[in-house]
Each structure stands twice: as C-alpha cells, then as structure tokens.
Amino acid sequence: GLIRVWDSVSGEPVGAPLAGHDGAVFALAYSPDGSRLASGGEDFTVRLWDAAAGMPAGDPLAVHTNWVLDIAFSPDGAQLASTGADETLVLWDAAAGQALGQLRTGHTRWVRAVAFSPDGSRLVTASEDNSLRVWDTVTGAIVGHPLAAHSDAIHDVAFTPDGQRLIS
C-alpha cells in the first residue's frame, strides 16, 4: 500500500513513502508537467498526490467497484483515465478530481491497460477478453470496431509517437 519515489541517478529514496491506499497499489502515473502523480489499487480508489510535497491532493476518488488496474494522464494533464477489474473506463477531470464519466467499455473481462493518443483526442483500452477498444475522449464513444487479434489477455498497450499505430 505504499508508494516510493526514487532518485533515478543515485538510486536513493526521495522523501517518505506515500501512504493512503488500503492494500496493493497496481497503477501509477506522473502528470506531464511532473507536479502530480496518480495511483490506483486494490482498495477500488484513485488517489491524486502533490508530487513536490509528497501529500494527497484531495480525497480518494471512488467510482470503481473493483480493483483499479491502470491509470494514464492525457498529454495536456487535464484528464486522467483509469481502468479496472470492474470492466470500466473512468475519465476524470484531473484538476478538480471529479469523474467526467464512467464508461461501460464493452469489454467482458478486466480492463488491464489504458493509453492516451499523443494529441489526447483518443484513448485505447486493453482487456483480458483479448480485445482493444479505441475511444473518442470528447464524446466518450467507441471509435470503430473492437480490435481482436490476440488469443489471450492483453496486459499493455501504447500509441506510437505520431498516434497512427498501436502496439499491444
């Protein structure tokens, strides 16, 4: 349930561990400007942290009904996306710490991973149901058909830097 920040050059811990989750932490992400970090875990919550102070930035965000498995900030840092074992994708206003919407993803198993496109207009979810779904971040609508060429669970996904391709 602890989060540790490390100096990547010296290998030494920076400050005290961040404590707040009840149980394992499964997901971490820094905001693009490095001022905040987000975490999610087995206590069904998303937490925002002031990265410089090492302190919580508001109350836990509790919309998920099962483990939070992945978190990603949009490229501009305005939105946060979280996915979980409840088969949902939640979009958050990262500054206000409020849910913008909880989307039933169409996935039929845990949603393991989420990634924003480089321009922030789309995001993709990856699931244990062997498929990917691409989303419009403005409308919340699924873009196109599910991408289903895997024969087993998908545990990670990423966009290329130009946003034209996905890897899973």
Side-chain angles (χ1 to χ4, degrees):
L2 297 177
I3 299 165
R4 296 193 183 270
V5 179
W6 299 88
D7 183 300
S8 65
V9 176
S10 71
E12 295 297 318
V14 176
L18 307 179
H21 283 282
D22 292 329
V25 176
F26 297 132
L28 295 167
Y30 265 107
S31 63
D33 67 3
S35 67
R36 291 169 291 154
L37 59 95
S39 60
E42 118 181 297
D43 61 2
F44 308 175
T45 67
V46 171
R47 294 177 184 260
L48 293 170
W49 305 84
D50 179 314
M55 299 294 294
D59 294 328
L61 310 178
V63 171
H64 285 281
T65 59
N66 206 330
W67 297 352
V68 177
L69 298 173
D70 200 20
I71 292 179
F73 277 96
S74 62
D76 64 3
Q79 290 184 332
L80 183 70
S82 60
T83 61
D86 58 2
E87 302 170 7
T88 63
L89 162 68
V90 180
L91 291 177
W92 305 90
D93 178 317
Q98 295 181 343
L100 298 171
Q102 183 175 14
L103 307 174
R104 284 312 271 168
T105 61
H107 289 297
T108 58
R109 305 249 346 251
W110 292 6
V111 184
R112 285 277 183 185
V114 62
F116 277 91
S117 63
D119 67 2
S121 67
R122 292 172 291 145
L123 55 82
V124 62
T125 53
S127 173
E128 288 190 355
D129 68 5
N130 314 344
S131 74
L132 304 170
R133 303 257 193 287
V134 179
W135 301 84
D136 182 301
T137 58
V138 174
T139 66
I142 293 176
V143 177
H145 299 287
L147 309 177
H150 286 277
S151 61
D152 207 344
I154 305 168
H155 290 266
D156 208 358
V157 63
F159 278 93
T160 56
D162 66 4
Q164 297 301 305
R165 295 179 190 225
L166 295 167
I167 56 172
S168 60

